[in-house]
Structure formats: C-alpha cells, structure tokens
Amino acid sequence: MPGKPPRARDPKIAAVVNQNGCTGCEACLTVCPVDCIEMVPGAEKPGLFKLVEIDQDRCIGCGLCPKICPWDTITMEPYPLSRQIAEGVTIRGVVPGQKAGAPAPV
C-alpha cells in the first residue's frame, strides 16, 4: 500500500485470506505487526459488509493472523505461491496490482 514502508526481504511464507469466508470482524487487524491487512468493501452491499485483504508485498509471514482468525479463513502459504493463491480467493481488492478473483460460488 502507498505510504507504508517496504519489508526488508521476502518471507518464506505469507498469509492469505479467503474472502469467501471472511466476515470483516477485524480481529486480524489487531495483531498484524506490520499493518499489512486492509479493510475492503464486500462484494455484496459494499457499504455494509466489509472484508480484509492481506498485502502480499508487505506480509512478513509472522503467522499471527491465522491464529486469531475466528473463522479459519487465513492460511500461511509458501511465498511467492501465496500471491497466486490470494488472487484465486480475493473477491474485492485494494492492493495495487492484486487481481480480484471470481465471485464467490452460490
């Protein structure tokens, strides 16, 4: 994200949130030591329902967010494969260069 310092080196693993299960509870925001988790508008009713997105360029792979996620929607994946996985489970994105995936199956 613009205005945030880059990380020193690429991590071995990085966090990926599956937005299909995210409720926007913001629990993960409270534990991220590098502030790489952003709130994004949800696909349906964007003004009311929110999701989170993890900036793959800033995640340091600390593993705190999946431990606190009450919905088990955050996983730690090998980096740089985590970027490809994130693209497939992202409904809405705000991170520059990150593509939003297909809409959630009904």
Side-chain angles (χ1 to χ4, degrees):
M1 294 301 304
K4 295 184 182 178
R7 64 176 174 235
R9 59 186 147 95
D10 288 345
K12 292 182 181 179
I13 56 174
V16 173
V17 63
N18 183 336
Q19 289 181 339
N20 293 304
C22 180
T23 64
C25 72
E26 300 183 29
C28 54
L29 295 176
T30 65
V31 298
C32 182
V34 293
D35 193 27
C36 72
I37 305 173
E38 301 289 332
M39 293 299 296
V40 297
E44 296 178 19
K45 301 182 182 173
L48 300 174
F49 185 66
K50 299 202 183 277
L51 305 169
V52 297
E53 180 182 14
I54 299 170
D55 186 341
Q56 296 292 305
D57 291 331
R58 295 195 25 79
C59 178
I60 60 171
C62 70
L64 294 174
C65 53
K67 290 179 183 174
I68 200 165
C69 178
W71 308 107
D72 295 327
T73 62
I74 302 175
T75 58
M76 298 304 293
E77 305 294 344
Y79 188 84
L81 182 61
S82 62
R83 291 176 170 283
Q84 295 169 349
I85 295 169
E87 286 181 8
V89 293
T90 299
I91 300 168
R92 282 282 174 101
V94 294
V95 176
Q98 179 139 336
K99 299 176 191 172
V106 179

